[in-house]
Amino acid sequence: MAINIQKIPVTIITGFLGSGKTTLIHQIAKKANGRRLAIIVNEFGELGMDGEILKGNDCGCEEENILELSNGCLCCTVQEEFLPTMLQLMERKEDIDHIIIETSGLALPKPLLKAFNWPDLKPQITVDAVITVVDCVGQATGEICDRDKVQSQRLDDENLDHESSIEELFEDQLSCADLIVMTKSDLINESTYKEVIDIIQNRVGSKIKLISAVKGDIPVDVLLGIGAKAEDHVDSKHSHHEDHHHHEHGDDHHHDHEHDDTINSIVMEVKTPHTPQELINALKSLVKEHHIYRIKGIIHVPGKPMRMIVQGVADRFENYFDRKWIEGEIKATRLVIIGEKLEEPTLQKALEEKLMVKIEA
């Protein structure tokens, strides 16, 4: 008699940089309704911030169950990073009810989705759903795409038959979605929100549901337990990058896509004295002068026992205290900046100069 083995459901949360993935996961973990969650956070760059934010916000998930993969974009390291991590989780699967995976904002979901069909994983795990998070403001203003470059290309060439790499990445993230969460809808007016909804719905078709979220506040039962079994339908998901980069061999273990190598991340430590507002003002000025997609980091506020988190997308920033400094922890302001062709010495110098002149808001 065949034994029916209960598979552990996995929810993949994808979406462009700064769309609100970490905020959504934080809300899921806080309202898990008794589910024992394991969370895998993947980041683009050498300094992982999202895992730090989750751990520092008392999200209700055991710290040992928050795993960080920051050695590369997860879709590029499925064999080297993802598979060993998942197999380690399977060694204690009796203690896990649901796994949440947050991809990097620059990750392609399809290669990750394919990995769930590997023989070592498929008998034990199923993809409950791929949830794509879309920033309403970023979509409305064009921040998601390659900004002015995309618009100028379209104006210059009415017969343009290709899109920017950023736009293609966004399209791939949408194409894999079983559910789309529209974040920051409270920051745009109702008519603009309807326009954004119509644009996204037309891209994905009428079968994919769109729901709105403010600060990731959605009932957890809406997000978990969808039962899409997405790994069984992976071949039906369109991917620009697979269209562009064909290989002679069909082995899913090989890297079958490429990223735009102009996008990079840098880590900076800010040593010039600053208040949180002075730093944010300087960062807003920096964003205007460089192709910066995302800023996140930790601010050391002298005299305060707690560390402060700062996160920014375009000129929209938020900052808040998340936890007390741990004894022996180095108190410093450190930032991760993700953008296009960023040079650490240039940005470091520009930021320090702006802080010295105390830019006004």
Side-chain angles (χ1 to χ4, degrees), residues 155-170:
L155 291 174
D156 291 342
D157 186 357
E158 294 180 358
N159 299 313
L160 183 67
D161 61 359
H162 63 278
E163 297 164 300
S164 74
S165 57
I166 295 298
E167 178 68 5
E168 289 180 354
L169 169 64
F170 181 56

Side-chain angles (χ1 to χ4, degrees), residues 61-79:
C61 185
E62 295 292 334
E63 189 166 317
E64 66 178 10
N65 282 356
I66 301 176
L67 309 176
E68 298 176 75
L69 301 179
S70 56
N71 293 327
C73 199
L74 191 54
C75 62
C76 300
T77 59
V78 284
Q79 189 170 9

Side-chain angles (χ1 to χ4, degrees), residues 4 136 169 176 201 353:
N4 183 21
C136 288
L169 169 64
C176 283
Q201 194 76 73
E353 288 176 349

